[in-house]
Amino acid sequence: MATPRAETEDQGKLRFQVELEFVQCLANPNYLNFLAQRNHLKEPAFINYLKYLEYWKEPDYAKFLKYPMALTFLDLLQYPEFRKELANSRCAKFVEDQQLLHWQNYIRKRTKLGQCGTVGGTQGEGTSQQSQITCTLSTQLTNAPVNNSLTAHNSK
């Protein structure tokens, strides 16, 4: 029986890069649909690999992720129901739509915070009042209900 060899520094770097790239691919619902349709998400070895990759949630590793939503999908992939539903293209499309809506809402909130952050700055009295009005309007727009087709899609 052969004894396992220790991983060299170059092999460790390569493994890190490969695993980082794979974890980031998990942020793409279309890729998850691809994996599910080819039954990879049913293979015990693949499921164990997904469990192993949970170390990416630790801050020392998560800081390297460009797409942190991949960690949410990594969590969801631990559930057999989620893995099963991903084989359905409509489900994957719904997940992708929800992801895009999340990003849009995030950007609107960040924009609102950026505008409201200047209220207490070195501006004059009139400019501060105008900035406060902008923040109020921005808040109202951000909190306005969004009419989209996803609610109809979800009820089908």
Side-chain angles (χ1 to χ4, degrees):
M1 180 173 202
T3 58
R5 294 186 336 200
E7 186 176 66
T8 67
E9 185 176 340
D10 287 340
Q11 290 171 329
K13 287 179 182 178
L14 179 62
R15 183 173 56 85
F16 175 83
Q17 290 173 340
V18 169
E19 290 177 358
L20 172 62
E21 185 173 341
F22 179 74
V23 168
Q24 294 195 119
C25 286
L26 299 179
N28 183 344
N30 294 311
Y31 179 64
L32 298 178
N33 175 250
F34 170 85
L35 292 174
Q37 287 182 344
R38 282 148 187 83
N39 293 321
H40 293 297
L41 298 181
K42 293 180 180 178
E43 297 172 7
F46 193 80
I47 295 167
N48 287 339
Y49 183 62
L50 292 172
K51 183 74 176 161
Y52 158 76
L53 291 174
E54 286 190 309
Y55 76 87
W56 281 95
K57 294 190 291 186
E58 296 175 22
D60 288 344
Y61 294 96
K63 67 184 178 185
F64 294 103
L65 292 172
K66 185 174 182 180
Y67 307 106
M69 190 168 281
L71 297 177
T72 300
F73 286 115
L74 183 59
D75 282 339
L76 289 171
L77 285 167
Q78 304 304 317
Y79 297 98
E81 300 85 13
F82 184 73
R83 293 191 304 264
K84 180 182 173 193
E85 290 298 323
L86 281 172
N88 181 345
S89 296
R90 288 180 62 187
C91 177
K93 175 66 174 147
F94 177 76
V95 170
E96 180 184 35
D97 290 344
Q98 294 302 305
Q99 184 180 41
L100 292 173
L101 286 172
H102 170 76
W103 288 338
Q104 288 172 344
N105 189 41
Y106 176 79
I107 290 170
R108 285 194 305 188
K109 284 184 178 182
R110 293 289 293 188
T111 302
K112 180 184 82 167
L113 287 174
Q115 291 171 347
C116 294
T118 61
V119 171
T122 60
Q123 302 169 343
E125 186 77 25
T127 310
S128 179
Q129 185 177 12
Q130 182 181 14
S131 192
Q132 186 63 41
I133 291 169
T134 303
C135 289
T136 304
L137 289 173
S138 178
T139 302
Q140 290 171 351
L141 289 174
T142 302
N143 294 330
V146 177
N147 184 11
N148 60 41
S149 60
L150 287 177
T151 52
H153 176 358
N154 193 22
S155 63
K156 289 182 183 177

